[in-house]
Amino acid sequence: MYIDKDRIDDFLTTTRFGREMEVHDWLPSTNDRLLSLIKTKEDISEGYLIISHEQKVGRGRQGRIWHSPSGGVYLSLLLKLNLPQDKWNSLHLIGMLAVYDTILDLYNLNPTIKWPNDLLIKGEKISGILLETRSVEGFNNFGVLGIGINANIAREEFPDEVSGTATSLLIRLGEMVDMNELIGVVLNNLEVYYNELIKNTLDVRGELEERRTIIGRRAEIMSGEEVIVGRVMGFGENGSVIIEVEGGSRREIIEGNLRLMD
Ligand code: BTN
């Protein structure tokens, strides 16, 4: 099932997101393509979208690889960051909310939000979000919101390194999904959350806590040189996670890698 600009358009109800887009057969990375466009395309508008059927060197957080065979959704969306800097961290969270709602509404699958940037189904990763920010002299600050969704990927198409930890919509549903609809609805949801975020009317923490998350689970977090073990109690303002450590005290962690222990 091929990704097609006009077919995506049929599903869009947005005013900005995805109204200008490029669809590529393959790219090294959609985030890299958008990051380089920011430097050269002066009139680039908010919501500019890059999509690729495959990525040769798809990137995840902290220098990890995002395996990107054909059949997945790989997209990057341009945001102009007219937001206080402490809100930037919320952007990958609204990405997760948008993908979560789409997967639930279109396919009746209930993912789990795993801090800081993954969606899991039955413990296996179905989507990941990568937000990269840049300041370009004389312009705004830009955010490139990269979203990967394992859509129509069969189990044997995942490389060995991730075959036990990744899943896809195809694996869970037993049938292919319409990737144009999937992309269109993600963008629609994302624009609604983004508009609320800039109007300051979105309670990101409340939205997260209303959904299925890792709250209550035991976890180990590597944050810089430190390893923190405890129970996830909730989320803080602007993208942090709250952990109750042994002895009952609570820690708020802004950045790190989390491993579930139960
Ligand atoms: C992660 O889980 O570590 C984040 C994965 C983000 C992957 C997406 S796919 C589209 C965009 N382009 C990239 O190179 N990475 C992001």
Side-chain angles (χ1 to χ4, degrees), residues 28-32 55 57-61 64 66 68 73-76 117-118 125 127-130 146-149:
S29 149
T30 55
N31 267 33
D32 288 349
Q55 297 183 116
V57 279
R59 291 189 291 107
R61 280 177 70 244
R64 283 190 289 255
W66 182 259
S68 311
V73 165
Y74 314 108
L75 65 84
S76 298
N117 68 328
D118 295 337
K125 191 153 163 168
S127 175
I129 317 278
L130 176 67
I147 300 182
I149 307 172

PDB file of all heavy atoms in Angstrom, residues 28-32 55 57-61 64 66 68 73-76 117-118 125 127-130 146-149, ligand 1:
ATOM      1  N   PRO A  28      18.023   9.154   3.420  1.00  0.00           N
ATOM      2  CA  PRO A  28      18.811   8.705   4.574  1.00  0.00           C
ATOM      3  C   PRO A  28      17.956   8.816   5.837  1.00  0.00           C
ATOM      4  O   PRO A  28      17.774   7.854   6.576  1.00  0.00           O
ATOM      5  CB  PRO A  28      19.999   9.673   4.592  1.00  0.00           C
ATOM      6  CG  PRO A  28      20.123  10.144   3.173  1.00  0.00           C
ATOM      7  CD  PRO A  28      18.709  10.192   2.629  1.00  0.00           C
ATOM      8  N   SER A  29      17.385  10.027   6.080  1.00  0.00           N
ATOM      9  CA  SER A  29      16.549  10.248   7.263  1.00  0.00           C
ATOM     10  C   SER A  29      15.647  11.449   6.973  1.00  0.00           C
ATOM     11  O   SER A  29      16.128  12.480   6.478  1.00  0.00           O
ATOM     12  CB  SER A  29      17.445  10.526   8.476  1.00  0.00           C
ATOM     13  OG  SER A  29      16.805  11.386   9.393  1.00  0.00           O
ATOM     14  N   THR A  30      14.364  11.338   7.278  1.00  0.00           N
ATOM     15  CA  THR A  30      13.454  12.471   7.027  1.00  0.00           C
ATOM     16  C   THR A  30      13.816  13.655   7.929  1.00  0.00           C
ATOM     17  O   THR A  30      13.694  14.809   7.522  1.00  0.00           O
ATOM     18  CB  THR A  30      11.981  12.061   7.258  1.00  0.00           C
ATOM     19  OG1 THR A  30      11.862  11.519   8.576  1.00  0.00           O
ATOM     20  CG2 THR A  30      11.512  11.050   6.240  1.00  0.00           C
ATOM     21  N   ASN A  31      14.267  13.370   9.163  1.00  0.00           N
ATOM     22  CA  ASN A  31      14.679  14.483  10.038  1.00  0.00           C
ATOM     23  C   ASN A  31      15.863  15.229   9.426  1.00  0.00           C
ATOM     24  O   ASN A  31      15.894  16.455   9.405  1.00  0.00           O
ATOM     25  CB  ASN A  31      15.063  13.976  11.437  1.00  0.00           C
ATOM     26  CG  ASN A  31      13.890  14.011  12.407  1.00  0.00           C
ATOM     27  OD1 ASN A  31      12.747  13.811  11.999  1.00  0.00           O
ATOM     28  ND2 ASN A  31      14.152  14.252  13.669  1.00  0.00           N
ATOM     29  N   ASP A  32      16.834  14.469   8.895  1.00  0.00           N
ATOM     30  CA  ASP A  32      18.007  15.131   8.314  1.00  0.00           C
ATOM     31  C   ASP A  32      17.615  15.971   7.104  1.00  0.00           C
ATOM     32  O   ASP A  32      18.119  17.071   6.906  1.00  0.00           O
ATOM     33  CB  ASP A  32      19.062  14.097   7.901  1.00  0.00           C
ATOM     34  CG  ASP A  32      19.739  13.498   9.120  1.00  0.00           C
ATOM     35  OD1 ASP A  32      19.533  14.039  10.232  1.00  0.00           O
ATOM     36  OD2 ASP A  32      20.451  12.492   8.972  1.00  0.00           O
ATOM     37  N   GLN A  55      13.890   4.599   5.076  1.00  0.00           N
ATOM     38  CA  GLN A  55      15.038   5.421   5.452  1.00  0.00           C
ATOM     39  C   GLN A  55      16.257   4.512   5.515  1.00  0.00           C
ATOM     40  O   GLN A  55      16.179   3.395   6.032  1.00  0.00           O
ATOM     41  CB  GLN A  55      14.850   6.053   6.814  1.00  0.00           C
ATOM     42  CG  GLN A  55      13.684   7.024   6.901  1.00  0.00           C
ATOM     43  CD  GLN A  55      13.595   7.674   8.271  1.00  0.00           C
ATOM     44  OE1 GLN A  55      13.743   8.870   8.402  1.00  0.00           O
ATOM     45  NE2 GLN A  55      13.361   6.878   9.291  1.00  0.00           N
ATOM     46  N   VAL A  57      19.251   5.484   6.932  1.00  0.00           N
ATOM     47  CA  VAL A  57      19.888   5.652   8.253  1.00  0.00           C
ATOM     48  C   VAL A  57      18.948   6.410   9.184  1.00  0.00           C
ATOM     49  O   VAL A  57      19.284   7.481   9.693  1.00  0.00           O
ATOM     50  CB  VAL A  57      21.275   6.366   8.159  1.00  0.00           C
ATOM     51  CG1 VAL A  57      22.365   5.414   7.777  1.00  0.00           C
ATOM     52  CG2 VAL A  57      21.239   7.558   7.197  1.00  0.00           C
ATOM     53  N   GLY A  58      17.749   5.855   9.371  1.00  0.00           N
ATOM     54  CA  GLY A  58      16.764   6.456  10.268  1.00  0.00           C
ATOM     55  C   GLY A  58      17.373   6.563  11.662  1.00  0.00           C
ATOM     56  O   GLY A  58      18.064   5.655  12.115  1.00  0.00           O
ATOM     57  N   ARG A  59      17.127   7.688  12.311  1.00  0.00           N
ATOM     58  CA  ARG A  59      17.764   7.917  13.601  1.00  0.00           C
ATOM     59  C   ARG A  59      16.775   7.880  14.748  1.00  0.00           C
ATOM     60  O   ARG A  59      15.659   8.374  14.630  1.00  0.00           O
ATOM     61  CB  ARG A  59      18.468   9.289  13.596  1.00  0.00           C
ATOM     62  CG  ARG A  59      19.670   9.308  12.689  1.00  0.00           C
ATOM     63  CD  ARG A  59      20.506  10.560  12.827  1.00  0.00           C
ATOM     64  NE  ARG A  59      19.829  11.736  12.309  1.00  0.00           N
ATOM     65  CZ  ARG A  59      19.322  12.702  13.068  1.00  0.00           C
ATOM     66  NH1 ARG A  59      19.425  12.628  14.372  1.00  0.00           N
ATOM     67  NH2 ARG A  59      18.734  13.741  12.515  1.00  0.00           N
ATOM     68  N   GLY A  60      17.192   7.280  15.852  1.00  0.00           N
ATOM     69  CA  GLY A  60      16.409   7.305  17.080  1.00  0.00           C
ATOM     70  C   GLY A  60      17.098   8.216  18.083  1.00  0.00           C
ATOM     71  O   GLY A  60      18.053   8.911  17.737  1.00  0.00           O
ATOM     72  N   ARG A  61      16.601   8.225  19.306  1.00  0.00           N
ATOM     73  CA  ARG A  61      17.236   9.050  20.344  1.00  0.00           C
ATOM     74  C   ARG A  61      18.624   8.529  20.660  1.00  0.00           C
ATOM     75  O   ARG A  61      18.894   7.352  20.535  1.00  0.00           O
ATOM     76  CB  ARG A  61      16.407   9.002  21.626  1.00  0.00           C
ATOM     77  CG  ARG A  61      15.210   9.913  21.618  1.00  0.00           C
ATOM     78  CD  ARG A  61      14.415   9.749  22.886  1.00  0.00           C
ATOM     79  NE  ARG A  61      15.097  10.269  24.060  1.00  0.00           N
ATOM     80  CZ  ARG A  61      15.491   9.528  25.093  1.00  0.00           C
ATOM     81  NH1 ARG A  61      15.310   8.235  25.107  1.00  0.00           N
ATOM     82  NH2 ARG A  61      16.069  10.088  26.130  1.00  0.00           N
ATOM     83  N   ARG A  64      20.840   6.223  18.465  1.00  0.00           N
ATOM     84  CA  ARG A  64      20.428   4.863  18.081  1.00  0.00           C
ATOM     85  C   ARG A  64      19.869   4.843  16.662  1.00  0.00           C
ATOM     86  O   ARG A  64      19.462   5.869  16.130  1.00  0.00           O
ATOM     87  CB  ARG A  64      19.388   4.335  19.067  1.00  0.00           C
ATOM     88  CG  ARG A  64      20.024   3.875  20.373  1.00  0.00           C
ATOM     89  CD  ARG A  64      19.013   3.142  21.202  1.00  0.00           C
ATOM     90  NE  ARG A  64      18.033   4.075  21.720  1.00  0.00           N
ATOM     91  CZ  ARG A  64      17.998   4.497  22.989  1.00  0.00           C
ATOM     92  NH1 ARG A  64      18.862   4.045  23.856  1.00  0.00           N
ATOM     93  NH2 ARG A  64      17.085   5.338  23.386  1.00  0.00           N
ATOM     94  N   TRP A  66      17.031   3.849  13.920  1.00  0.00           N
ATOM     95  CA  TRP A  66      15.599   3.492  13.810  1.00  0.00           C
ATOM     96  C   TRP A  66      15.467   2.700  12.515  1.00  0.00           C
ATOM     97  O   TRP A  66      15.565   3.257  11.419  1.00  0.00           O
ATOM     98  CB  TRP A  66      14.733   4.758  13.786  1.00  0.00           C
ATOM     99  CG  TRP A  66      13.256   4.438  13.720  1.00  0.00           C
ATOM    100  CD1 TRP A  66      12.478   4.484  12.606  1.00  0.00           C
ATOM    101  CD2 TRP A  66      12.398   4.033  14.790  1.00  0.00           C
ATOM    102  NE1 TRP A  66      11.188   4.122  12.915  1.00  0.00           N
ATOM    103  CE2 TRP A  66      11.106   3.839  14.249  1.00  0.00           C
ATOM    104  CE3 TRP A  66      12.581   3.796  16.155  1.00  0.00           C
ATOM    105  CZ2 TRP A  66      10.014   3.441  15.023  1.00  0.00           C
ATOM    106  CZ3 TRP A  66      11.498   3.399  16.924  1.00  0.00           C
ATOM    107  CH2 TRP A  66      10.239   3.227  16.362  1.00  0.00           C
ATOM    108  N   SER A  68      14.190   1.177   9.385  1.00  0.00           N
ATOM    109  CA  SER A  68      13.134   1.816   8.594  1.00  0.00           C
ATOM    110  C   SER A  68      12.884   1.115   7.266  1.00  0.00           C
ATOM    111  O   SER A  68      13.060   1.688   6.184  1.00  0.00           O
ATOM    112  CB  SER A  68      13.514   3.277   8.324  1.00  0.00           C
ATOM    113  OG  SER A  68      13.913   3.946   9.488  1.00  0.00           O
ATOM    114  N   VAL A  73       5.810   4.035   8.543  1.00  0.00           N
ATOM    115  CA  VAL A  73       5.579   5.461   8.322  1.00  0.00           C
ATOM    116  C   VAL A  73       6.771   6.197   8.916  1.00  0.00           C
ATOM    117  O   VAL A  73       7.104   6.004  10.089  1.00  0.00           O
ATOM    118  CB  VAL A  73       4.276   5.910   9.027  1.00  0.00           C
ATOM    119  CG1 VAL A  73       4.210   7.429   9.135  1.00  0.00           C
ATOM    120  CG2 VAL A  73       3.056   5.378   8.285  1.00  0.00           C
ATOM    121  N   TYR A  74       7.437   7.014   8.100  1.00  0.00           N
ATOM    122  CA  TYR A  74       8.566   7.816   8.556  1.00  0.00           C
ATOM    123  C   TYR A  74       8.284   9.246   8.131  1.00  0.00           C
ATOM    124  O   TYR A  74       8.252   9.532   6.928  1.00  0.00           O
ATOM    125  CB  TYR A  74       9.888   7.318   7.933  1.00  0.00           C
ATOM    126  CG  TYR A  74       9.996   5.809   8.024  1.00  0.00           C
ATOM    127  CD1 TYR A  74       9.868   5.003   6.886  1.00  0.00           C
ATOM    128  CD2 TYR A  74      10.138   5.193   9.256  1.00  0.00           C
ATOM    129  CE1 TYR A  74       9.900   3.624   6.983  1.00  0.00           C
ATOM    130  CE2 TYR A  74      10.171   3.804   9.362  1.00  0.00           C
ATOM    131  CZ  TYR A  74      10.049   3.034   8.220  1.00  0.00           C
ATOM    132  OH  TYR A  74      10.062   1.659   8.324  1.00  0.00           O
ATOM    133  N   LEU A  75       8.022  10.101   9.100  1.00  0.00           N
ATOM    134  CA  LEU A  75       7.693  11.478   8.731  1.00  0.00           C
ATOM    135  C   LEU A  75       8.377  12.475   9.660  1.00  0.00           C
ATOM    136  O   LEU A  75       8.679  12.176  10.810  1.00  0.00           O
ATOM    137  CB  LEU A  75       6.183  11.699   8.696  1.00  0.00           C
ATOM    138  CG  LEU A  75       5.360  11.592   9.968  1.00  0.00           C
ATOM    139  CD1 LEU A  75       5.368  12.889  10.779  1.00  0.00           C
ATOM    140  CD2 LEU A  75       3.908  11.271   9.593  1.00  0.00           C
ATOM    141  N   SER A  76       8.606  13.672   9.114  1.00  0.00           N
ATOM    142  CA  SER A  76       9.161  14.776   9.907  1.00  0.00           C
ATOM    143  C   SER A  76       8.367  16.026   9.600  1.00  0.00           C
ATOM    144  O   SER A  76       8.097  16.335   8.436  1.00  0.00           O
ATOM    145  CB  SER A  76      10.633  15.014   9.561  1.00  0.00           C
ATOM    146  OG  SER A  76      11.381  13.875   9.873  1.00  0.00           O
ATOM    147  N   ASN A 117       9.615   8.602  25.019  1.00  0.00           N
ATOM    148  CA  ASN A 117       9.188   8.846  23.620  1.00  0.00           C
ATOM    149  C   ASN A 117       8.711   7.616  22.858  1.00  0.00           C
ATOM    150  O   ASN A 117       8.768   7.619  21.638  1.00  0.00           O
ATOM    151  CB  ASN A 117      10.349   9.480  22.843  1.00  0.00           C
ATOM    152  CG  ASN A 117      11.483   8.502  22.652  1.00  0.00           C
ATOM    153  OD1 ASN A 117      11.700   7.647  23.506  1.00  0.00           O
ATOM    154  ND2 ASN A 117      12.172   8.585  21.545  1.00  0.00           N
ATOM    155  N   ASP A 118       8.278   6.584  23.561  1.00  0.00           N
ATOM    156  CA  ASP A 118       7.877   5.367  22.846  1.00  0.00           C
ATOM    157  C   ASP A 118       6.410   5.041  23.073  1.00  0.00           C
ATOM    158  O   ASP A 118       5.866   5.308  24.137  1.00  0.00           O
ATOM    159  CB  ASP A 118       8.634   4.137  23.394  1.00  0.00           C
ATOM    160  CG  ASP A 118      10.105   4.214  23.138  1.00  0.00           C
ATOM    161  OD1 ASP A 118      10.512   4.923  22.217  1.00  0.00           O
ATOM    162  OD2 ASP A 118      10.846   3.534  23.892  1.00  0.00           O
ATOM    163  N   LYS A 125       7.680  -2.288  20.885  1.00  0.00           N
ATOM    164  CA  LYS A 125       7.624  -0.905  20.393  1.00  0.00           C
ATOM    165  C   LYS A 125       6.897  -0.812  19.047  1.00  0.00           C
ATOM    166  O   LYS A 125       7.213  -1.537  18.111  1.00  0.00           O
ATOM    167  CB  LYS A 125       9.064  -0.430  20.245  1.00  0.00           C
ATOM    168  CG  LYS A 125       9.241   1.018  20.012  1.00  0.00           C
ATOM    169  CD  LYS A 125      10.613   1.431  20.534  1.00  0.00           C
ATOM    170  CE  LYS A 125      11.034   2.761  19.994  1.00  0.00           C
ATOM    171  NZ  LYS A 125      12.203   3.310  20.690  1.00  0.00           N
ATOM    172  N   SER A 127       5.922   2.617  17.972  1.00  0.00           N
ATOM    173  CA  SER A 127       6.181   3.973  17.460  1.00  0.00           C
ATOM    174  C   SER A 127       7.205   4.674  18.337  1.00  0.00           C
ATOM    175  O   SER A 127       7.295   4.408  19.535  1.00  0.00           O
ATOM    176  CB  SER A 127       4.853   4.758  17.463  1.00  0.00           C
ATOM    177  OG  SER A 127       5.058   6.096  17.086  1.00  0.00           O
ATOM    178  N   GLY A 128       7.986   5.533  17.713  1.00  0.00           N
ATOM    179  CA  GLY A 128       8.971   6.333  18.449  1.00  0.00           C
ATOM    180  C   GLY A 128       8.980   7.746  17.891  1.00  0.00           C
ATOM    181  O   GLY A 128       8.659   7.970  16.715  1.00  0.00           O
ATOM    182  N   ILE A 129       9.312   8.688  18.749  1.00  0.00           N
ATOM    183  CA  ILE A 129       9.270  10.112  18.379  1.00  0.00           C
ATOM    184  C   ILE A 129      10.646  10.717  18.656  1.00  0.00           C
ATOM    185  O   ILE A 129      11.235  10.450  19.705  1.00  0.00           O
ATOM    186  CB  ILE A 129       8.249  10.884  19.268  1.00  0.00           C
ATOM    187  CG1 ILE A 129       6.944  10.112  19.476  1.00  0.00           C
ATOM    188  CG2 ILE A 129       8.048  12.304  18.775  1.00  0.00           C
ATOM    189  CD1 ILE A 129       5.936  10.193  18.407  1.00  0.00           C
ATOM    190  N   LEU A 130      11.111  11.526  17.736  1.00  0.00           N
ATOM    191  CA  LEU A 130      12.403  12.197  17.929  1.00  0.00           C
ATOM    192  C   LEU A 130      12.240  13.679  17.627  1.00  0.00           C
ATOM    193  O   LEU A 130      11.988  14.057  16.482  1.00  0.00           O
ATOM    194  CB  LEU A 130      13.447  11.588  16.972  1.00  0.00           C
ATOM    195  CG  LEU A 130      14.830  12.219  16.973  1.00  0.00           C
ATOM    196  CD1 LEU A 130      15.532  11.965  18.309  1.00  0.00           C
ATOM    197  CD2 LEU A 130      15.678  11.637  15.838  1.00  0.00           C
ATOM    198  N   GLY A 146      10.074  14.237  14.449  1.00  0.00           N
ATOM    199  CA  GLY A 146      10.155  13.025  13.639  1.00  0.00           C
ATOM    200  C   GLY A 146       9.323  11.917  14.279  1.00  0.00           C
ATOM    201  O   GLY A 146       9.419  11.671  15.476  1.00  0.00           O
ATOM    202  N   ILE A 147       8.499  11.281  13.460  1.00  0.00           N
ATOM    203  CA  ILE A 147       7.634  10.210  13.978  1.00  0.00           C
ATOM    204  C   ILE A 147       7.846   8.958  13.129  1.00  0.00           C
ATOM    205  O   ILE A 147       7.776   9.020  11.896  1.00  0.00           O
ATOM    206  CB  ILE A 147       6.143  10.630  13.921  1.00  0.00           C
ATOM    207  CG1 ILE A 147       5.914  11.877  14.769  1.00  0.00           C
ATOM    208  CG2 ILE A 147       5.239   9.481  14.381  1.00  0.00           C
ATOM    209  CD1 ILE A 147       4.469  12.357  14.831  1.00  0.00           C
ATOM    210  N   GLY A 148       8.116   7.859  13.791  1.00  0.00           N
ATOM    211  CA  GLY A 148       8.185   6.571  13.109  1.00  0.00           C
ATOM    212  C   GLY A 148       7.069   5.679  13.630  1.00  0.00           C
ATOM    213  O   GLY A 148       6.875   5.587  14.852  1.00  0.00           O
ATOM    214  N   ILE A 149       6.318   5.068  12.723  1.00  0.00           N
ATOM    215  CA  ILE A 149       5.266   4.129  13.148  1.00  0.00           C
ATOM    216  C   ILE A 149       5.463   2.831  12.365  1.00  0.00           C
ATOM    217  O   ILE A 149       5.526   2.846  11.126  1.00  0.00           O
ATOM    218  CB  ILE A 149       3.840   4.664  12.866  1.00  0.00           C
ATOM    219  CG1 ILE A 149       3.647   6.059  13.467  1.00  0.00           C
ATOM    220  CG2 ILE A 149       2.779   3.705  13.429  1.00  0.00           C
ATOM    221  CD1 ILE A 149       2.321   6.742  13.061  1.00  0.00           C
TER     222      ILE A 149
HETATM  223  C1  BTN B   1      13.230   6.687  19.095  1.00  0.00           C
HETATM  224  O1  BTN B   1      12.406   5.856  19.464  1.00  0.00           O
HETATM  225  O2  BTN B   1      14.382   6.683  19.554  1.00  0.00           O
HETATM  226  C2  BTN B   1      12.793   7.752  18.129  1.00  0.00           C
HETATM  227  C3  BTN B   1      12.606   7.201  16.739  1.00  0.00           C
HETATM  228  C4  BTN B   1      12.226   8.267  15.743  1.00  0.00           C
HETATM  229  C5  BTN B   1      12.195   7.741  14.330  1.00  0.00           C
HETATM  230  C6  BTN B   1      11.689   8.755  13.352  1.00  0.00           C
HETATM  231  S1  BTN B   1      11.312   8.047  11.783  1.00  0.00           S
HETATM  232  C7  BTN B   1      11.122   9.618  11.084  1.00  0.00           C
HETATM  233  C8  BTN B   1      12.191  10.501  11.677  1.00  0.00           C
HETATM  234  N1  BTN B   1      13.428  10.427  10.911  1.00  0.00           N
HETATM  235  C9  BTN B   1      14.416   9.879  11.617  1.00  0.00           C
HETATM  236  O3  BTN B   1      15.579   9.681  11.186  1.00  0.00           O
HETATM  237  N2  BTN B   1      13.986   9.543  12.833  1.00  0.00           N
HETATM  238  C10 BTN B   1      12.598   9.929  13.044  1.00  0.00           C
END
